[in-house]
Structure formats: structure tokens, C-alpha cells
Amino acid sequence: MPCCGVLCQYETNKLVRIQSVRLGSLKWSMNAIILLFICMMLLWNRKYQEFDLVVSSVTTKVKGVVRTQLPGVGDVVWDVVDYSGPSQEKNSFFVVTNVIVTKNQKQGKCPEVSRKDRLCRSDKDCEEGGWDQQSHGIKTGSCLKSNVLSKTCEVSAWCPIESRTNPPRPALLAAAENFTVLIKNNIRFPAFNFIRRNILPEMNEGYLRSCQRNGDALCPIFRLGDIVREAGEKFSEMAVEGGVIGILIKWDCNLDRLTRRCLPRYSFRRLDEKESNRTLYPGLNFRFAKYNMVNGVEERTLYKAFGIRFDVMVFGQAGKFSFIQLIIYIGSTLSYYALTTVMIDWLIGTSCYSAEDGQIYSEKKVESVVDKQKCVLCVSYVDERHIRLVKRSQKKSLQHVKPTSVRPYKEDGGHLRAVVCLLQPGIVVDPDAPDRNRSPELRLRPPAWCKCGRCAASSLPQEELCCRRGDGSCVASSPLFEQLVLRRPLLEAVLLYRDPLSSLPAGQGQTAALRHCAYGQYVSWRFGVPPDDAQPAIPSCCVWRVREEYPSPDGQYSGFRPARMASMQACANGEL
Ligand code: ZN
Ligand code: ZN
């Protein structure tokens, strides 16, 4: 095939199919749950629609009359002009609920209100022309008696000065809770060119005159007491110092032809926090005055008005079917199905499944490639059934490195056959084989990390490995070691088995080939099939035992090299 690079290639993922009723039914039931969830979200949140936000305008009309007894004024009837305050704000209305009246104020000079921090002893305490944030006028420079007990500075101001600071309790206009308000709300969704009003087309004048919030959630006329009660407050308490109440109108419109629905929903909430109101500057108040001329002199009546401001807030959106939105939603949900894979893979990996099956699945699924720089070694101790995986360390001796994971021992079928051959009649496993304690000079002082007493000291930490974890006899001293690893006829047969027509090189080359083949035999015996992602490490005692049997004439050995010792080719070529 002509080479045309990446353009002529297509890569696709390789899949592993596990034949299992349990996993199959788990997969399909999880997929069904996900599909159900997706459909519910689609219908519940109307994900198939495109949405537009509301644009709105609000007007209000408050109605009601109250008769009250104002101190110093007498019986007064308040109507909408009096209690709505002087100005109408956008999207909100104000109702006066309490008031402090100071009558017949004239421009003149009078003593300041007597308060602890305003008292004076002589004229020296009152600087002429001075004023501060709390004063009601400009100081004239004299200190006057303001009442029987105390003296305060005289000021030029509207006299007499308003003296009361605390609002009357109960509130003078508490009966305002029976006032009603008509809220008119026009909305528009520009994207769909849709217009609507909260006074619905089917509402006629008779309906509006009689409807009540309690029985009809759509009635656009509200009693102020009901509004405050639904906001979780008590009108009579709130009326004393005033506050702010939010009237929330929510439009959630579905403009699809079959399921068309577009109605307002009203809810109420206190906006100024009640708790913080208890401390400083509580409630809501402002002052206004009414002016008149008496005998050619201008006089005014000052009102400090406390009241409740009602802010109308409109939220909302309208949705209409959009094919593009539907496609986008379906596309965005496809990734949810990956949850099934993640979940089942996790289940296989955990103890919910048998460790053996999990190991087989993950080996089929994952192919490991080892980075040569970060070599992982596998270690087999004669007094442990499992194989340990350890990271190669430049400082710590291999015997003491902590394992990163533990793998089960996996039998090498080929090697088992060799063992069966070994047990054929004629070959005797002699427990009292000779040479067991050869080269006593090596065993004189075993290093500290050695547990079998037959290892040799090394300058390389990765060569510092014993055949066992705990104290005991050495694997190299076992009769099977002689038979499986060291026996010359077996090693020659293995070399010939791999390459039947080769002639073994004579002399030095032959010894090296046999030595490396003996290493390979040891690995097959002790590790079975070594893990793919790790290099088997041979204990020092075994390495030296093999080297004694098949020595290098110049005494030079290549030492430990991380490459696959089990590799037939490497063994035959004597690379190691
Ligand atoms: Zn040892
Ligand atoms: Zn040993």
C-alpha cells in the first residue's frame, strides 16, 4: 500500500466485550435510568424550547380612607393624597402609617432641643454661626433655658423645633392595613412579539370589584394587610417605624400552541431586614411640610412620616419550541451514557467483583508500556505467594523499597511442562546435592539486608535483594534450584528447544549463554508469567549461585540491566 501519511488512515477504539449476564443487565438498566432522567429533564424543564426574558411596566393605584386622632391637631381624615406621600416612584408606592406633626413653625430664634450632648452652661459654649449634622439651625451665640432643668444653645431655625424623636405607639394610621392596591402589570416578550397584562381579558369590572386574594390567586387587587401578612410580618408592628415590602410577580410562560399557558404568580417578601432594623436607624421615614400664610407671615406644619414602601418586581421568561434547542439538548446529554462505563469499570475494579476476574478484565482492557526511565521492578520472595511491584530506587536497597502494588502469581504453562519432564523417571531430585555451600568466602559476612545468609554485598542499591522477607534458608540451597536453574543438560535443552538448528557456541560464549539462560529459568520458575509492566529482579544469592556455576573467565559481569529477562531472544543471544 502506498504510504500517504495520516490522510489515508482512520483510527478507531478497540473494545473489550465481556460476556456476562450480570454486567449486561446492569449496563442496560443503567442506560434506561439515564434515558428516563434525560426525558424527565426534557419535559420538566422544557429543554426543547428557546427562552426570552420579560420586559415589563408597572402602575399602581392605592385606595382607602382612614380617620385618625392627631395629637395637637385633632380628628383628621386621611385619604390617598395624604398618605401616599408627595412623590410616586417607578414600580413602587408608599403608604404613610405613622406620623409626628409639629404645627405652626415660623422662621425665628429658639433654644435647641434638650439632649445630653447639646447642653450648655454659658454663652461661651455656643459658638456664633456654628452648626453640626444634628442641629436644627445656626447657633446665635447665646445659651438659653430650654426647660426647667437644662440650658441649650439658641439657634436661628423653624421654631418651635420638632421635639419628639420616637414614633407614637400604636401607629396613628395602623388602619391602613385595610387599604387596597390595584397593580397593573403589562409584559412583553420581544423575541416572540407576545404581549400580556395581569388583568386578564376575561376579568370584567364586576369581577375586579369583588375578587379577593384569599380565594383567587390571580386577583390583581390586594389588601395591604394581606400583603404584609404573606411576607411573614405583622402590619401593626411594621406600621410603627415603617419598612420595605417587595411584591414579586413571576411570569413563567409556555407559548407552544398545544400547552399554551401564561399567568402571573404573586409572592411577597420583606426587603429591609427585620433583625438589622432593631439596632440603628430602623424603618423608613422622611419629612415633608405644608405651608400657609398667617397675617402675612409664612408658617408651616412639619410632618415626619413613617410608612411602608411597596416595591413591585417583575421576573419571568417565556419559552417556545425550537428544533435547534432540542438538538443541542440531545447532544449535551449523550455524555451521560459514559457514566455507565465509568460505573461498571469501577465496579469491576472494586472488591464487588472477584479479584481474579477483575485482573483478567483489566489485563484485556489495558496494555501497559513501561517508560524505561521509570523502571518498575517485580520481586518474588520464596516466603511469599504474591509478586510485589516496586519502584526502582537509586538510594534505598531493593530489599527495603515499599511495594506499589501486589500481583497474584501466574503459572507459566511452558515452564510447568519443563517441571513435568523433570519428574520423569531417571531424573532424581537429590536433597543432598553437592556444592550447596560452595565459595564460603562469599558467605562470610552477609550484608544487613540479607535474610538467607547467602547474599553478597553490592554497591548498587537495585542489586541489594534477598530471596526472602523473613529469616530462613536460601532458595538457592533448595534441591529444585539445582534441577530447575543450574542443571546443564536442562539449560542446553532449553537453548536447543528455542532454536533447534543452532549449534551452541563453544567455550566462553557457551558459558555466558548458559548463565543467562539460567537467569531466564529462575524467572520462569519464581515469577511464572511476570507482570507486563515490570521487570523481574533476581535476588543476589541466586545471581551469585548461577555465576559460580557458569563463571565469566575474566570475572566481569554486566550486572543488573532492566530488560525482559524472560525474553527468549535475549536469553539466547546472551545479551544479559
Ligand atoms: Zn539473602
Ligand atoms: Zn537466598
Side-chain angles (χ1 to χ4, degrees), residues 449-456 465-468 474 540-541:
W449 47 265
C450 173
K451 302 287 177 189
C452 69
R454 292 169 64 95
C455 296
L465 178 69
C466 186
C467 62
R468 36 189 321 127
C474 182
S540 170
C541 48

Side-chain angles (χ1 to χ4, degrees), residues 375-377 379 381 388-405 449 461-465 469:
C375 187
V376 178
L377 301 174
V379 173
Y381 293 111
R388 293 170 174 234
L389 261 60
V390 293
K391 281 229 178 78
R392 186 180 173 181
S393 164
Q394 298 293 342
K395 290 175 195 149
K396 227 173 176 184
S397 80
L398 192 51
Q399 182 79 10
H400 296 133
V401 177
K402 285 220 171 77
T404 53
S405 66
W449 47 265
Q462 65 263 31
E463 286 184 353
E464 294 181 352
L465 178 69
R469 270 320 275 171

